[in-house]
């Protein structure tokens, strides 16, 4: 603290709060790093003469603005006691440093409303990420009904001009939306019970002139896999406030005397290096917290998933044949998708009956797994524990285990209901069934699906169960990870329905989208990479034509798009032509050669114009890039007779680089040396090519 100001610094950003007796700290600054000794010096109110027709007490934005006592903007808390104590004001603040100079808990107190708010604030030194979380305590002797509790409130400068968020739907996720910031309220909410395909819980705010690599930008993401809300509101001093938190269904925020409500974590960051600088911060933070088996990420294995090869028609003979063909092209992990368990012949039955189907696997899964392991591949298995079909042994035995509301119809989606896993007996059942499989066989990977929204979502006592379901899912994953620490888990929710920092506390990969059309994937994966690093991005070579769009792309284009993430295959390798088989084998070899570079360090994305989108993976050097891989994708026919060059702004203008095309056919085109300044300012010459063509280049400092 410095002269009444609480100041946090990281490498490239700073947070400044003003501490005043008898109220919550005031927001003064969040942005590019300030000098260590810099502070506002002057109290904020001394710089703000009261305008006309105002209260006689100036109320600037605090870290936790409250309703009813002079703040007329969006509040961080909305609560009441049977209609009473509807207005709150924090009149006491105790500062507890948990990491001196870097992390603090602000203990805020309202003695009139009889509640406390603990707001944790941490600025991570290495990632420049600001972490906020709120915990509300009911110190009264009557219940407190909470309608809204923000995870955190952020201050944005008035020069911010636009917000970039993501909408979408199943098989069309991460659909970029760009809205101007004005005096109108900007808000997004999701009430589907999961992260959702259509309302990603995060956004990016830009300032005028910001690009992929330059300009000041701000980003925030709620680490939560359930209902959520975010709001950006113009303030009367010309700045903006940004709030995020869990959207609470009626009754979910009811606190008995002595109870507490903890928000999800808000993960925010700012960068003066544009959208790519912001992405680097988010990537660094997620990498810091991922809980890899053994404590560190192993090289991401080439992955084959059987879904689009077989759908539900899985039988030992054909599956073994596919495994043999997969191993021959270089696959390292073989994942048996849906259709393997008791009575599962279509999507209308059997969810909940988690043991091998006797008509398909009369001897169980052991023989298949031994075959896969004998080919040198690890084995993975698809499950959807949080769901149940009405036509299942489990539902017939325990119909009360489905989320439901008495007197309301049971609404199915994809012929399934949501299992109330907040019930200890239901969670125990799932743990026992999955643990039996993991104990009996060397299964090192679970593809964990969640294929519908929550409605109705009533618990056994008739109250809303949205947040209880999310916490129960986290707890079940954590329990299985504790019992089987070598097992990795993929978060799949119809593709992009559950991708967030919350579920990634327990998982290691996400299935980015059920759409494997490579052209669609270019934009989907670009949106994904704004927040999440490539090594957890499931990206597969699918069939041609693509099952979700009917479009056809070449093997080279499909493979190049998949190369930029955790590379996988989702097709029946047995039916490929000899030429396609050889080409796929070559791309798999390229991935194995490059994955250490692709999955460590920084990622830059850009648009070279004329239909060329690019991605550059390089080392994490602060000063200059020494070794990188460029993936350039022509998504449409060129408008020019001669293709425009592609500039690489991350390179060192004072260095010289060796540039060499990477070819999956094993050919090694001649390398050439080029000045970094030329590549930065003039650009790399691009070949003239047809639409849906890829170009790979290795760039190394001489």
């Amino acid at each position: 603290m410095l002269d009444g100001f609480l100041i946090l610094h990281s490498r490239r950003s700073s947070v400044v709060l003003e501490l005043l007796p008898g109220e919550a700290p005031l927001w003064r600054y969040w942005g590019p790093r300030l000098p260590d000794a810099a502070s506002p010096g002057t109290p904020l109110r001394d710089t703000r003469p009261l305008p006309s027709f105002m209260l006689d007490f100036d109320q600037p934005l605090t870290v936790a603005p409250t309703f009813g006592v002079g703040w007329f903007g969006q509040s961080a808390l909305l609560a009441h006691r049977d209609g009473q104590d509807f207005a709150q004001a924090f009149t006491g603040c105790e500062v507890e440093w948990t990491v001196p100079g870097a992390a603090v808990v602000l203990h805020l107190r309202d003695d009139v409303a009889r509640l406390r708010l603990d707001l944790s604030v941490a600025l991570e030194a290495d990632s420049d990420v600001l972490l906020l979380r709120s915990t509300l305590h009911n110190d009264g002797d009557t219940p407190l009904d909470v309608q809204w509790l923000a995870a955190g409130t952020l201050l944005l400068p008035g020069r911010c001009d636009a917000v970039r968020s993501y909408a979408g739907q199943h098989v069309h996720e991460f659909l970029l939306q760009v809205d101007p910031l004005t005096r109108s309220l900007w808000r997004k909410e999701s009430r589907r019970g999961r992260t959702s395909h259509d309302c990603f819980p995060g956004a990016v705010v830009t300032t005028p002139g910001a690009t992929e690599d330059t300009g000041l930008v701000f980003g925030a993401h709620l680490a939560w896999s359930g209902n959520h809300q975010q709001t950006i509101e113009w303030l009367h001093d010309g700045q903006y406030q940004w709030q995020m938190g869990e959207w609470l269904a009626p009754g979910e925020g009811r606190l008995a005397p002595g109870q507490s409500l903890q928000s999800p974590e808000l993960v925010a960051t700012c960068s003066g290096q544009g959208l790519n600088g912001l992405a680097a911060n988010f990537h660094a933070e997620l990498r810091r917290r991922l809980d890899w088996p053994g404590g560190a990420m192993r090289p991401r294995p080439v992955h084959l998933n059987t879904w689009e090869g077989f759908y539900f028609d899985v039988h030992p003979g054909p599956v073994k044949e596919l495994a043999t063909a997969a191993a021959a092209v270089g696959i390292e992990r073989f994942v048996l998708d849906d259709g393997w368990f008791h009575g599962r012949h279509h999507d209308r039955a059997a969810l909940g009956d988690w043991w091998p189907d006797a008509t398909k696997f009369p001897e169980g899964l052991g023989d298949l797994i031994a075959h896969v392991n004998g080919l040198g591949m690890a084995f993975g298995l698809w499950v959807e524990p949080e769901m149940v079909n009405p036509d299942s042994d489990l539902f017939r035995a325990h119909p009360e285990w489905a989320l439901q509301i008495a007197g309301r119809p049971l609404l199915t989606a994809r012929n399934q209901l949501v299992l109330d896993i907040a019930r200890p007996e239901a969670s125990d059942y799932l743990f026992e069934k999955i643990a039996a499989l993991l104990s009996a066989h060397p299964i090192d990977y679970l593809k964990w699906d969640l294929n519908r929204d929550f409605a109705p979502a009533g618990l056994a006592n008739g109250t809303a169960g949205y947040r209880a379901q999310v916490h129960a899912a986290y707890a079940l994953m954590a329990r299985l990870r504790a019992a089987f620490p070598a097992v990795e888990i993929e978060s799949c929710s119809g593709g992009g329905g559950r991708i967030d920092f919350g579920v990634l506390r327990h998982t290691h990969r996400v299935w980015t989208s059920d759409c494997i059309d490579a052209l669609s994937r270019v934009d989907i994966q670009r949106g994904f990479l704004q927040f999440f690093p490539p090594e957890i991005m499931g990206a597969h070579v699918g069939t041609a034509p693509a099952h979700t769009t009917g479009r056809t792309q070449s093997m080279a284009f499909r493979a190049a798009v998949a190369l930029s993430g955790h590379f996988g295959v989702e097709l029946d390798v047995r039916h490929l032509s000899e030429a396609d088989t050889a080409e796929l084998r070559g791309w798999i070899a390229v991935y194995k050669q490059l994955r250490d570079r692709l999955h460590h360090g920084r990622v830059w994305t850009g648009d070279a114009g004329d239909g060329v989108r690019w991605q550059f993976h390089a080392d994490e050097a602060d000063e200059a890039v020494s070794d990188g891989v460029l993936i350039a994708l022509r998504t449409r026919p060129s408008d020019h007779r001669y293709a425009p060059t592609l500039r690489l702004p991350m390179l060192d203008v004072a260095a010289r680089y060796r540039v060499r095309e990477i070819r999956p056919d094993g050919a090694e085109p001649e390398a050439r040396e080029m000045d970094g300044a030329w590549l930065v300012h003039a650009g790399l010459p691009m070949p003239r090519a047809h639409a849906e063509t890829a170009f790979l280049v290795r760039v190394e400092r001489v």
Side-chain angles (χ1 to χ4, degrees):
M1 287 187 289
L2 181 66
D3 299 328
F5 297 99
L6 190 154
I7 303 176
L8 305 177
H9 294 300
S10 61
R11 288 191 304 169
R12 296 188 181 93
S13 63
S14 297
V15 166
V16 180
L17 306 176
E18 183 176 340
L19 301 176
L20 295 170
E23 57 184 306
L26 307 182
W27 259 113
R28 295 301 303 269
Y29 180 83
W30 175 42
R33 198 186 195 287
L34 301 171
D36 287 347
S39 78
T42 304
L44 180 59
R45 290 191 178 95
D46 290 353
T47 69
R48 292 163 48 114
L50 285 175
S52 60
F53 283 80
M54 284 286 292
L55 297 175
D56 292 332
F57 176 76
D58 180 27
Q59 181 56 74
L61 179 68
T62 74
V63 294
T66 53
F67 172 76
V69 290
W71 176 255
F72 297 103
Q74 172 80 11
S75 297
L77 174 65
L78 293 172
H80 67 92
R81 298 180 191 277
D82 195 23
Q84 306 294 310
D85 289 332
F86 66 89
Q88 298 89 35
F90 295 114
T91 55
C93 176
E94 177 187 340
V95 177
E96 177 191 358
W97 286 100
T98 52
V99 179
V104 65
V105 178
L106 303 173
H107 300 284
L108 306 176
R109 189 180 70 253
D110 182 346
D111 295 331
V112 175
R114 293 162 295 164
L115 53 84
R116 288 176 294 120
L117 180 71
D118 295 333
L119 176 64
S120 63
V121 183
L123 189 57
E124 293 295 327
D126 294 330
S127 64
D128 291 303
V129 162
L130 176 62
L131 304 175
L132 300 170
R133 189 195 294 270
S134 297
T135 304
L136 182 69
H137 306 272
N138 179 10
D139 289 343
D141 53 9
T142 58
L144 181 73
D145 284 298
V146 182
Q147 176 185 338
W148 166 246
L149 175 64
T153 299
L154 299 168
L155 176 67
L156 294 172
R159 64 183 181 276
C160 293
D161 66 344
V163 55
R164 298 163 60 93
S165 63
Y166 294 94
Q169 60 191 31
H170 178 237
V171 304
H172 195 181
E173 298 84 353
F174 288 100
L175 181 61
L176 178 64
Q177 310 292 298
V178 181
D179 299 309
L181 282 180
T182 67
R183 292 194 179 197
S184 298
L185 187 73
W186 183 89
R187 174 174 290 176
K188 293 194 74 174
E189 294 183 350
S190 176
R191 296 167 290 279
R192 296 182 179 274
R194 53 178 171 163
T195 315
S196 82
H197 297 83
D198 62 320
C199 188
F200 178 74
V204 172
V205 174
T206 61
T207 59
T211 68
E212 283 92 349
D213 298 293
T214 61
L216 180 62
V217 292
F218 298 83
H221 167 66
L222 191 69
W224 178 242
S225 306
N227 296 332
H228 51 85
Q229 174 187 307
Q230 59 172 320
T231 302
I232 301 178
E233 183 179 36
W234 183 83
L235 304 176
H236 285 275
D237 59 5
Q239 301 185 96
Y240 293 92
Q241 67 154 328
W242 191 1
Q243 284 186 10
M244 283 191 190
E246 178 185 0
W247 187 91
L248 296 169
E252 284 192 310
R254 188 172 179 83
L255 300 182
Q259 282 190 331
S260 301
L261 177 68
Q262 185 177 74
S263 78
E265 186 178 47
L266 174 58
V267 183
T269 188
C270 66
S271 174
Q273 299 176 345
L275 301 176
N276 283 325
L278 199 74
N281 293 350
F282 279 123
H283 295 185
E285 176 59 25
L286 186 61
R287 285 167 169 165
R288 183 183 68 85
R289 60 176 67 194
L290 282 170
D291 182 19
W292 293 106
M297 182 184 75
R298 296 173 296 170
R300 299 293 79 215
V302 182
H303 185 111
L304 183 139
N305 192 68
T306 64
W307 177 241
E308 289 199 1
F310 291 124
Y311 289 102
F312 298 101
D313 191 22
V314 294
H315 296 275
V319 175
K320 284 183 179 180
E321 291 173 4
L322 177 58
T324 300
V329 297
I331 302 296
E332 297 166 305
R333 175 187 283 153
F334 187 89
V335 180
L336 181 63
D337 207 287
D338 202 350
W340 61 269
F341 50 97
H342 174 65
R344 187 65 163 179
H345 308 295
H346 42 66
D347 68 0
R348 300 184 298 278
L351 283 175
D353 300 343
W354 299 110
W355 57 91
D357 182 74
T359 65
K360 295 179 179 180
F361 298 94
E363 305 300 324
L365 295 177
D367 182 57
L368 171 62
I369 296 173
H371 179 77
V372 169
N373 292 161
L375 293 166
M377 297 184 294
F379 184 84
L381 194 64
W382 180 93
V383 292
E384 192 174 3
E386 298 156 79
M387 299 291 148
V388 64
N389 285 123
D391 183 6
S392 66
D393 288 355
L394 177 62
F395 185 79
R396 283 184 284 272
H398 295 287
E400 74 280 7
W401 283 12
L403 289 175
Q404 56 194 283
I405 299 175
R408 304 289 184 190
L410 282 172
L411 301 177
T412 56
R414 297 184 78 252
N415 306 294
Q416 61 195 54
L417 302 168
V418 183
L419 196 63
D420 179 5
I421 61 172
R423 290 173 175 261
E425 60 270 31
S427 182
D428 288 345
Y429 168 88
L430 293 172
F431 176 82
E432 290 163 6
K433 293 300 182 185
I434 298 173
L437 292 163
L438 297 178
S439 297
H441 306 292
I443 300 170
D444 76 346
Y445 188 85
L446 292 176
K447 180 182 178 183
W448 188 303
D449 222 332
L450 173 70
N451 279 319
R452 62 156 292 179
D453 299 328
F454 297 178
L459 298 173
N461 61 3
T463 62
Y466 299 92
R467 73 187 317 264
Q469 190 76 5
V470 176
H471 284 297
Y474 290 166
L476 180 57
M477 291 178 183
R479 186 179 177 188
L480 284 164
R481 288 291 323 288
F484 303 94
V487 172
E488 293 184 13
I489 299 177
E490 171 184 316
S491 173
C492 176
S493 184
R498 185 157 64 182
I499 300 175
D500 59 81
F501 276 42
V503 77
L504 282 162
R505 287 284 192 186
H506 311 283
T507 58
H508 311 90
R509 186 188 202 252
V510 293
W511 183 223
T512 321
S513 175
D514 278 348
C515 178
I516 319 180
D517 179 301
L519 197 58
S520 296
R521 273 294 188 120
V522 172
D523 286 331
I524 292 171
Q525 295 179 182
R526 178 65 56 87
F528 177 97
L529 289 170
Q530 182 65 72
F531 295 88
F532 307 96
E535 61 267 25
I536 67 164
M537 182 175 74
H540 292 181
V541 179
T543 55
H547 290 189
T548 54
T549 66
R551 295 189 298 204
T552 294
Q553 295 102 25
S554 67
M555 175 63 74
F557 191 74
R558 285 178 279 156
V561 172
L563 191 72
S564 63
H566 179 184
F567 189 92
V569 175
E570 190 143 351
L571 50 78
D572 193 336
V573 182
R574 299 175 302 165
H575 297 157
L576 292 177
S577 67
E578 288 186 13
D580 278 348
T581 299
E583 189 170 4
L584 178 59
R585 185 183 295 112
W587 280 100
I588 289 173
V590 167
Y591 170 76
K592 291 177 179 178
Q593 171 194 343
L594 298 179
R595 58 186 161 192
D596 282 348
R597 168 50 54 235
L598 296 171
H599 296 161
H600 296 88
R602 280 194 58 176
V603 182
W604 288 261
T605 61
D607 188 338
D610 192 38
V612 174
R613 311 287 293 278
W614 60 267
Q615 199 166 309
F616 192 84
H617 298 248
D619 50 74
E620 189 65 90
D622 285 331
E623 296 78 16
V625 168
S626 61
D627 179 14
V629 173
L630 170 69
I631 304 172
L633 303 168
R634 172 161 289 287
T635 61
R636 61 172 178 80
S638 175
D639 297 330
H640 305 276
R641 288 190 174 93
Y642 304 97
T645 60
L646 191 157
R647 295 190 308 106
L648 298 174
M650 74 294 298
L651 299 184
D652 183 357
V653 295
R656 191 163 175 80
Y657 290 91
R658 181 179 298 108
V659 179
R660 177 175 57 83
E661 184 183 358
I662 301 170
R663 296 276 297 275
D665 59 6
E668 295 190 7
E670 185 178 353
R672 52 181 163 168
E673 292 189 5
M674 302 183 71
D675 290 326
W678 187 266
L679 292 168
V680 169
H681 298 298
L684 178 70
M686 296 296 294
R688 182 169 179 81
H690 294 296
E692 298 168 22
T693 301
F695 184 56
L696 269 66
V697 176
R698 190 78 184 237
V699 180
E700 299 171 287
R701 181 191 291 265
V702 176

